[in-house]
Structures are given as structure tokens and as C-alpha cells.
Amino acid sequence: MDEQTHPYGPSVARLIEEFAQMPGIGRKSAERLAQYVVNMKKSSAASLIQAIDSVKRSIRRCEVCHALTEKEQCDICSDSRRDRTLVCVVEHPKDVISLEASGAFPGTYHVLHGSLSPLNGIGPEKLTINSLLKRIEADGVTELVMATNPTLEGDGTALYISNLLENRGVRITRLARGIASGSVLEFANKEMLADALRGRQAF
């Protein structure tokens, strides 16, 4: 519905449009969310606005692994008990949360913030691959676990990184294919992720 003809006026229509741009939110869901906001008390709405503002001002990328954190280094990278020579490479920050829930990985992570997709204009320079290569040298990384999503783009990204590290003495492994091809880590349960980590194979 055009914002000029919305029964509540253009401000509500704009709010609906903003909600509709969120992942997994269709038009009907966007309208329900907008209706919820309209009916909120002003104090509750103010708290929501403050929470969003705080997140946008406080959240940054970890200077080591590029996961999201409120500090210079995330809790995992700053934990001396984690094995810095073992690095798990993932596409998105939410993948770190999924893998950590399995409780099966003692190393650290590296977040690429995407995967290679030439058709969409995403090349190596738009990912954190250069930072990963520097980490490998600086931390003496001995094993890289490729935990990119089992999709065409994810597998292509893993292959690209493994080719860069050829003859560098770094063991390249990948998650066992207990995770169905075409799926994403976000929707895998803890048991499946734990089995996949324990059963990782040479790439």
C-alpha cells in the first residue's frame, strides 16, 4: 500500500516499509509489528529506541576475529584458555554463536562477513581474508577449520582460502557433512554441530 493512501498516514506506512526490509519479515508481519509499535506506551517506545541506538553505537567488530562485540576484542579472543593455533572460519557472526552452543570447539574463530559471490560483486577484497592470512602468520595457526556454509558460495570460498594456504604448512579441515548440503549453520541443532566439529575432515 502506498504511504500516501495508508489509513493511519504516511508515518505508519514508512514504518511498515522499514520493517518489511528486515530478513524473514513479510508484508503482513511488518504491518503487525508497526501496529504493535503504534499501540506501545511512549515510555516503552522510548526504551526500544534507546536500545537500538545503544546497539548501533556500541557494537563493533573484534579487532582479531571480526565477530561482533562491545570491546576491542571479543570474549573468545581474549580468553587465554582458547587455542589460538586452531581457527574456525565462518561466514557470519551468528555462526560463531551457533558453533559455540555445541560446546565442542576449543579454538578461536574468524568471521569472513560473507562469502565469495562474483555475480553479486563480492570478491576477496570485501571479505576479511587478508586479515585471516595475517592471523595465521602472527599466531602460528596450525589448523584451519573451514565452517563456511555448505552452499556453492560457501564451498567456493573455502576452496579459495585453501588454495591461498597451499604449501604454508597449515592443516585445512572442514566440518563433517553431517550438515545437509544447502542448509545454513544458523538452523542446525547443537548435537548436529558437535558431531560435525568432532568429525571434521581434511579439505
Side-chain angles (χ1 to χ4, degrees):
M1 183 179 294
D2 185 84
E3 68 176 19
Q4 298 301 323
T5 61
H6 193 281
Y8 290 177
S11 61
V12 175
R14 179 185 174 189
L15 183 60
I16 291 173
E17 293 301 324
E18 293 296 327
F19 279 133
Q21 294 181 44
M22 296 180 178
I25 303 296
R27 183 73 185 184
K28 291 295 184 182
S29 296
E31 290 176 354
R32 285 194 293 269
L33 288 170
Q35 186 67 47
Y36 175 78
V37 171
V38 168
N39 292 326
M40 290 175 73
K41 293 181 179 179
K42 286 189 176 180
S43 58
S44 298
S47 294
L48 176 60
I49 293 170
Q50 290 172 2
I52 294 173
D53 180 63
S54 177
V55 164
K56 296 306 295 180
R57 287 188 293 104
S58 301
I59 294 298
R60 66 181 76 177
R61 290 187 182 187
C62 171
E63 64 181 9
V64 178
C65 73
H66 301 281
L68 300 182
T69 181
E70 293 189 1
K71 299 173 288 187
E72 290 186 359
Q73 289 190 17
C74 68
D75 290 341
I76 295 173
C77 287
S78 59
D79 187 347
S80 61
R81 296 169 297 180
R82 306 297 290 235
D83 184 357
R84 286 181 173 269
T85 68
L86 176 61
V87 176
C88 182
V89 179
V90 299
E91 293 180 24
H92 305 288
K94 62 187 178 183
D95 297 332
V96 174
I97 296 173
S98 298
L99 288 166
E100 276 297 284
S102 73
F105 188 65
T108 58
Y109 297 88
H110 190 88
V111 182
L112 296 172
H113 286 276
S115 57
L116 294 175
S117 182
L119 293 178
N120 293 316
I122 302 177
E125 72 284 352
K126 292 191 176 181
L127 307 179
T128 63
I129 294 175
N130 284 337
S131 174
L132 173 62
L133 298 178
K134 292 177 182 178
R135 278 188 69 187
I136 290 171
E137 294 294 331
D139 293 341
V141 174
T142 57
E143 180 181 352
L144 212 61
V145 182
M146 300 307 304
T148 52
N149 288 317
T151 60
L152 182 62
E153 292 81 7
D155 286 341
T157 303
L159 181 60
Y160 177 83
I161 293 173
S162 67
N163 287 339
L164 289 179
L165 295 173
E166 190 175 6
N167 300 323
R168 289 205 185 187
V170 179
R171 183 185 180 215
I172 308 293
T173 59
R174 67 179 181 186
L175 295 185
R177 292 300 186 180
I179 299 176
S181 180
S183 63
V184 293
L185 295 177
E186 182 182 5
F187 302 115
N189 60 45
K190 292 190 293 185
E191 291 75 19
M192 183 185 297
L193 287 169
D195 288 341
L197 280 168
R198 284 190 287 266
R200 59 184 184 271
Q201 308 166 7
F203 188 79

